[in-house]
Amino acid sequence: MTIKLPLHSRITGTGSFLPPNRVSNAALAERLAADGIETSDEWIVERTGIRFRHFAADGVTCSDLGFEAAKRALAAADCDPQALDLIIVATSTPDMVFPSAACMVQQKLGVHGCAAFDLQAVCSGFVYALSVADAMIKVGTASKALIIGSEVFSRILDFKDRTTCVLFGDGAGAVVLEASETPGILASELHADGRYVDILCVPGTVAGGHVLGDPLLKMDGPAVFKLAVSVLDGVARSVLAKAGRSEADIDWLIPHQANIRIMQSTARKLKLAPHKLIATVDRHGNTSAASIPLALDDAVRAGTIRPGDTVMLEAVGGGFTWGAALLDL
C-alpha cells in the first residue's frame, strides 16, 4: 500500500494572551525617575512607536502565558488537544533551564506522548518554529502542530537602561498548523549570522549555583536597526521568489513588532501601502518570539485578515537570526 504524505500545511486557528498588568509609558517613566533615570512618553513614542507594554505578575511563567494562548488557538481551530502530535514553544525566557516550556504547556493541556520542544531564535523564534513545523508536516512526521511564541522579557530587563527597558513586554501568541491538501505555508526561509552575537544578547549563564556574567539584556540599537532593515527586505523578496509571487500579491505584512520605524521601512521597501502593515507594537511593545503570533491573532479576530488573504511574516532577532514566511490564510 502506498502512503501519500501531506504536501501542505495550513494555519487553522490563532490565539494570544497578554498579562493583565498594562504599563503605560508614563507609568514606566515614573518608575525610572525614582532611580534618577529620565524618559518620557514623547521620547519613547517618537523613537519606537510604543505606548504600552504588559508585564507578567510574580510567579507567572512563560508556559503559563503560552498555555493561555494555546487554549484560544485550539478553540479557534476546533482542535482537541489530544489530537496534537507536535508542540513547539519559541522562547528566550523559559520557565527553567529544563525541562522545556513546551513540555510544561503539554502538561497543562493534559496531553501525553506527542513531541514537545522549545526553539530558541530570540525574536525570530516564531518564524523559525513555524518553518520547522511546516517541514515536519510535509514529510509526515506530524499532522497537527501547536506552535507558540511566549516570553516574559520583563525578567531580563535592566531598568537602569532606558534605551532597552522601555522596548520590551510580556505575552504569548499561538497557532494550530494542520496537514492540508491545499497550500497554506507557501514558502519560508531562515538565516543566522553569528558574527553579530554581541549586538543583542543576554551575556550571562548559570554555573555552580551562581549567575556568571550579566543576566540582563544588552543591545546596540543603531547596529540592530541597520542590520534589521537590510536583511528583512532581502529575505522577504527571496521568499516571494520561492513562492512564485510578487510584492503585489501581499495582502498583509506582519513584521516582528519591535520598532515602528523598522516596520514602516520594510513595508516601503516592499512597495506596500501603509494600510497593509499590521502594527500592534504600540499596544504591547516588543514581545520577542510572541510578537508575530500576537499581531496575527489580533488582526484575525478583528476581521482585518480574512480567509484567503496572503500574509508575509518576517522577523529578526539576537544571534543574529532572521527569517520570513509567506502564507495563505
Side-chain angles (χ1 to χ4, degrees):
M1 182 177 68
T2 301
I3 299 175
K4 184 179 180 181
L5 295 177
L7 298 178
H8 309 289
S9 69
R10 294 187 70 89
I11 291 175
T12 57
T14 66
S16 61
F17 180 75
L18 290 166
N21 179 25
R22 188 176 77 154
V23 181
S24 68
N25 288 343
L28 186 57
E30 184 177 351
R31 172 178 176 175
L32 297 181
D35 290 323
I37 301 165
E38 292 186 9
T39 191
S40 66
D41 176 67
E42 293 77 15
W43 188 88
I44 298 169
V45 172
E46 179 185 353
R47 288 161 177 77
T48 69
I50 297 168
R51 297 182 183 276
F52 299 93
R53 75 283 297 142
H54 292 247
F55 288 160
D58 291 345
V60 174
T61 65
C62 167
S63 67
D64 290 331
L65 300 181
F67 171 59
E68 294 297 333
K71 288 191 296 182
R72 290 159 172 78
L74 289 164
D78 194 23
C79 177
D80 184 344
Q82 301 300 327
L84 294 172
D85 46 26
L86 175 63
I87 300 173
I88 305 176
V89 174
T91 186
S92 301
T93 52
D95 298 27
M96 56 181 71
V97 174
F98 69 83
S100 68
C103 285
M104 295 178 180
V105 170
Q106 183 190 52
Q107 177 194 47
K108 290 169 183 176
L109 287 171
V111 178
H112 313 287
C114 73
F117 59 89
D118 288 357
L119 189 152
Q120 219 282 43
V122 199
C123 302
S124 304
F126 181 78
V127 172
Y128 265 63
L130 187 69
S131 299
V132 169
D134 174 54
M136 292 178 71
I137 288 175
K138 285 178 177 176
V139 299
T141 306
S143 61
K144 290 182 184 290
L146 174 64
I147 303 117
I148 303 167
S150 182
E151 303 282 15
V152 280
F153 255 57
S154 60
R155 309 278 162 79
I156 58 171
L157 297 180
D158 181 357
F159 285 96
K160 296 187 184 303
D161 178 7
R162 72 167 184 169
T163 65
T164 58
C165 72
V166 302
L167 303 177
F168 296 90
D170 304 336
V175 302
V176 174
L177 190 70
E178 300 189 38
S180 172
E181 294 182 356
T182 56
I185 309 299
L186 305 177
S188 64
E189 188 167 299
L190 307 174
H191 295 278
D193 192 335
R195 292 176 297 176
Y196 299 100
V197 295
D198 294 332
I199 67 174
L200 179 56
C201 61
V202 177
T205 188
V206 176
H210 302 282
V211 174
L212 300 183
D214 192 334
L216 301 179
L217 185 145
K218 310 297 176 187
M219 183 174 72
D220 180 342
V224 170
F225 187 101
K226 181 178 179 181
L227 191 57
V229 171
S230 172
V231 300
L232 286 176
D233 181 54
V235 75
R237 294 184 184 282
S238 182
V239 167
L240 284 169
K242 281 185 176 181
R245 302 285 184 94
S246 70
E247 299 100 319
D249 295 314
I250 300 174
D251 294 308
W252 305 102
L253 173 66
I254 306 182
H256 167 48
Q257 307 286 307
N259 182 305
I260 193 63
R261 293 185 297 163
I262 296 176
M263 296 160 61
Q264 291 172 338
S265 176
T266 304
R268 286 194 298 269
K269 285 178 176 289
L270 290 172
K271 299 181 175 61
L272 297 180
H275 76 272
K276 291 189 173 186
L277 172 66
I278 301 295
T280 56
V281 66
D282 59 316
R283 286 176 274 155
H284 56 68
N286 183 346
T287 54
S288 190
S291 79
I292 285 179
L294 270 169
L296 174 62
D297 182 55
D298 184 85
V300 168
R301 290 177 185 269
T304 304
I305 294 179
R306 300 173 180 272
D309 285 353
T310 299
V311 182
M312 174 70 78
L313 313 178
E314 57 178 17
V316 296
F320 200 78
T321 62
W322 67 97
L326 188 70
L327 52 109
D328 283 342
L329 263 294

